[in-house]
Amino acid sequence: MFMRNLNLRLLKNNIIEKIETGGSTREFYRCKYRNKIAILVIDPDIKKYLRVHKHLLNGHINVPRLYWTDKAKAALLEDLGTISLYVIFRKQPELFYHRKAIDMLVSMQKKCSSKFPIAERYDRPHIKWEQKYFKKHFLFQYGQVEQTAIDKTKDEFAELTDQVLRSIQDHDGFFMHRDFQSQNIFVKNNKIRIIDFQSARIGPLTYDLSSLLRDPYADLTISQERQLLDHYFKKIKPQKIPLSYDQLIAMYRLTCIQRNMQALGAYANLALNKGKKHFLKYIPRGRQLLMQGLKECNFERLLEIVQRSRGAEVKRRF
């Protein structure tokens, strides 16, 4: 139901609380209007959010209902509550809702990959941006690795970029949420609901899968990860994507490296530059997952430089 005769000033007068979110620079408030609790979002780039929101709705994807927007910088959205996949898995580390999240991912990739309204793609410039972000904030700023040592890994980062692009070249035309992790997946009325999709673009088949299964917020075991990979492969089979299981795993491992680099760069930046110190607690697990991926793909020099970064030592699982 779209609410008319609303304005931002009126909504601000009915705010209940400010919601402290993860890494977002947007502002979120829980407010009450006409006996309805809803989420007020303040975002200078709200038009992009609205375009992706409409696209997902057209694909019958479960996203928050839109009650009102000024089409400039604000929107009033359905309140999905506080039960995220992150909360559920911490209480009971079973895979029921992870499987449902994978089903939703497959549905998004099937229904929302064509006629996507945003021009950005996951391409060489974006891969290099993720690596630069990781080197600047995690290796140099958080890890205190010397810049000269980082510069000496230039060829290894270039090789990683080339390997990622080669692995995804026939499978890079899919809807990509870009932050498909447990804190952006909610459960309401036993249904998976998706938030924080404003950075979506067209990209590789496995990037969102990497975000979900090697998520520093949710400590999946290696056995659980394998079960979910098997579930994903089974779900995409009816689409007749020309991809073997071994090809899926090879592409998945490379996008895991990229995803964990991006996540570690974000955690370090948010903690050290944005005052969000609680992100520091996710760095050891993210670092462990990155080292696992680098070892799997034989990037020995990159593994060495990550091991040199300071911070809490992690217990390796490989």
Side-chain angles (χ1 to χ4, degrees), residues 89-308:
F89 192 76
R90 281 175 62 87
K91 288 183 178 179
Q92 195 166 7
E94 297 179 353
L95 299 182
F96 177 78
Y97 285 108
H98 270 84
R99 289 191 177 94
K100 289 175 77 73
I102 285 177
D103 295 346
M104 178 63 74
L105 172 59
V106 172
S107 183
M108 289 192 295
Q109 291 176 335
K110 180 180 179 180
K111 298 176 180 178
C112 301
S113 296
S114 62
K115 298 181 181 179
F116 190 66
I118 306 298
E120 288 94 336
R121 295 185 68 93
Y122 190 81
D123 52 13
R124 183 180 293 272
H126 190 77
I127 290 171
K128 292 176 74 173
W129 177 87
E130 286 183 328
Q131 293 173 359
K132 183 178 179 181
Y133 189 65
F134 166 75
K135 287 185 279 188
K136 177 181 178 180
H137 294 297
F138 179 76
L139 288 180
F140 182 74
Q141 189 177 12
Y142 171 84
Q144 297 183 357
V145 178
E146 302 87 348
Q147 187 62 52
T148 53
I150 296 172
D151 291 342
K152 288 179 181 178
T153 61
K154 179 180 178 181
D155 290 345
E156 284 71 25
F157 276 103
E159 176 60 24
L160 172 60
T161 300
D162 289 342
Q163 285 196 30
V164 171
L165 288 170
R166 284 196 299 270
S167 75
I168 70 174
Q169 63 183 348
D170 295 323
H171 305 96
D172 64 347
F174 294 89
F175 174 86
M176 177 178 140
H177 180 289
R178 196 172 168 267
D179 199 16
F180 195 70
Q181 41 85 1
S182 58
Q183 294 192 4
N184 286 334
I185 300 168
F186 279 70
V187 176
K188 186 176 182 181
N189 298 327
N190 205 37
K191 291 183 178 180
I192 293 291
R193 308 290 292 276
I194 307 299
I195 67 165
D196 210 22
F197 42 75
Q198 69 284 341
S199 296
R201 62 195 60 218
I202 295 300
L205 187 68
T206 56
Y207 191 96
D208 285 343
L209 187 65
S210 299
S211 301
L212 180 64
L213 302 193
R214 291 199 181 171
D215 175 8
Y217 298 137
D219 193 3
L220 290 170
T221 67
I222 292 174
S223 173
Q224 288 174 324
E225 178 187 15
R226 179 62 66 169
Q227 290 177 57
L228 293 172
L229 281 166
D230 291 347
H231 181 74
Y232 178 79
F233 189 66
K234 178 181 177 181
K235 286 293 180 178
I236 64 171
K237 265 192 171 182
Q239 298 184 44
K240 301 187 184 305
I241 298 171
L243 184 73
S244 70
Y245 189 78
D246 287 345
Q247 288 174 315
L248 173 71
I249 296 301
M251 179 167 45
Y252 167 76
R253 286 175 171 173
L254 286 164
T255 52
C256 280
I257 292 174
Q258 281 292 138
R259 168 60 188 179
N260 286 132
M261 283 184 176
Q262 188 279 331
L264 285 168
Y267 298 158
N269 184 35
L270 290 165
L272 301 181
N273 302 320
K274 308 294 184 181
K276 299 184 177 184
K277 301 296 184 184
H278 64 280
F279 279 100
L280 290 173
K281 66 183 178 182
Y282 302 116
I283 286 181
R285 178 61 177 152
R287 182 172 176 263
Q288 179 187 28
L289 290 170
L290 175 57
M291 290 193 297
Q292 177 184 341
L294 292 171
K295 187 169 185 179
E296 288 169 342
C297 297
N298 299 312
F299 285 101
E300 294 181 4
R301 289 196 64 189
L302 295 182
L303 178 62
E304 289 172 6
I305 202 166
V306 172
Q307 289 173 328
R308 286 173 58 182

Side-chain angles (χ1 to χ4, degrees), residues 10-29:
L10 185 60
L11 288 170
K12 283 186 173 181
N13 288 337
N14 287 274
I15 287 174
I16 300 172
E17 62 178 342
K18 183 174 183 179
I19 301 172
E20 297 298 334
T21 59
S24 178
T25 57
R26 297 171 295 157
E27 297 177 38
F28 296 84
Y29 301 90

